[in-house]
Amino acid sequence: MTLQEFQDYVKTGQPLNTPEIYRFMDDMSEEARRITFELNSSYHDQKEINALLEKLFGRPVGKAFKMFPPFYTDFGKNIHIGDEVFINACCHFQDHGGVYIGDRCQIGHNVVFATLNHGLKAEERRTMTPAPIVLGKNVWVGSNSTILQGVTIGDNAVVAAGAVVTKDVPADTVVGGVPARKLKTIG
């Protein structure tokens, strides 16, 4: 299986449950761990961080991108970063289903993006279903938040610290809580 074949398959939303897919995911996880271990094991300036992340993502990061490691991912090749994005320390991106971060987004400490879900029944738990997470422009995700699979967060929205976002967030909206709910409209 090639990376393009995997990414095309993931876009269909079909379960990830074949031996070929599991092998591919394991191989990609090994590569992601090698790169993130290098990223997280010692000091790197921003130019070095960007070079390691471009190797991890398989594409350039956006212009004026900034990240404070450590950073963790178990895949890496399905992360898409816009311009002027800031990602703070200790974030975890499970990106098999795709993580798309728009221009000028700010991601706080310890944020988790989880693009896979498992079956609820015990016999279905090894079956994973992917769905992308999409952040519009100027989104601020507060520290210790979790964004779940299939969620789209609209432009200029704010996710309060500690929120668990299970549903789409409209533009210009502040959400918070577990599960996250609308707190107010911005503007």
Side-chain angles (χ1 to χ4, degrees):
M1 173 167 271
T2 68
L3 177 60
Q4 188 61 57
E5 289 170 338
F6 179 82
Q7 289 175 326
D8 290 344
Y9 183 82
V10 163
K11 288 178 184 175
T12 70
Q14 295 180 66
L16 306 175
N17 61 356
T18 69
E20 180 183 22
I21 289 172
Y22 288 148
R23 274 191 306 279
F24 180 78
M25 289 171 64
D26 284 345
D27 291 345
M28 297 306 293
S29 178
E30 287 295 318
E31 180 181 337
R33 287 184 19 218
R34 276 191 296 275
I35 297 167
T36 56
F37 283 14
E38 182 178 351
L39 173 69
N40 299 333
S41 66
S42 63
Y43 174 80
H44 300 282
D45 65 27
Q46 193 61 51
K47 185 176 178 181
E48 294 166 329
I49 290 169
N50 288 3
L52 285 166
L53 290 175
E54 288 176 355
K55 183 176 175 185
L56 177 64
F57 300 163
R59 69 183 53 81
V61 297
K63 67 180 179 184
F65 170 77
K66 187 162 183 93
M67 174 189 280
F68 292 163
F71 174 76
Y72 305 95
T73 185
D74 55 358
F75 189 68
K77 297 292 190 240
N78 214 355
I79 298 172
H80 310 267
I81 305 287
D83 293 335
E84 301 177 49
V85 168
F86 173 70
I87 299 175
N88 218 323
C90 299
C91 290
H92 297 250
F93 286 17
Q94 179 198 54
D95 64 290
H96 294 81
V99 172
Y100 299 85
I101 299 176
D103 295 344
R104 296 174 304 284
C105 288
Q106 297 177 333
I107 312 299
H109 288 90
N110 298 313
V111 169
V112 174
F113 288 175
T115 67
L116 295 177
N117 203 351
H118 297 267
L120 187 57
K121 296 179 183 176
E123 62 273 10
E124 296 172 356
R125 288 200 188 132
R126 289 190 45 87
T127 298
M128 295 170 282
T129 306
I133 294 170
V134 179
L135 275 61
K137 295 178 181 176
N138 303 307
V139 173
W140 175 18
V141 180
S143 295
N144 297 303
S145 296
T146 299
I147 315 298
L148 297 182
Q149 68 155 180
V151 167
T152 296
I153 300 176
D155 293 349
N156 309 310
V158 176
V159 176
V164 176
V165 184
T166 61
K167 297 185 286 189
D168 290 353
V169 176
D172 303 305
T173 302
V174 179
V175 298
V178 180
R181 59 179 174 41
K182 181 179 177 179
L183 299 177
K184 65 180 175 178
T185 301
I186 301 169

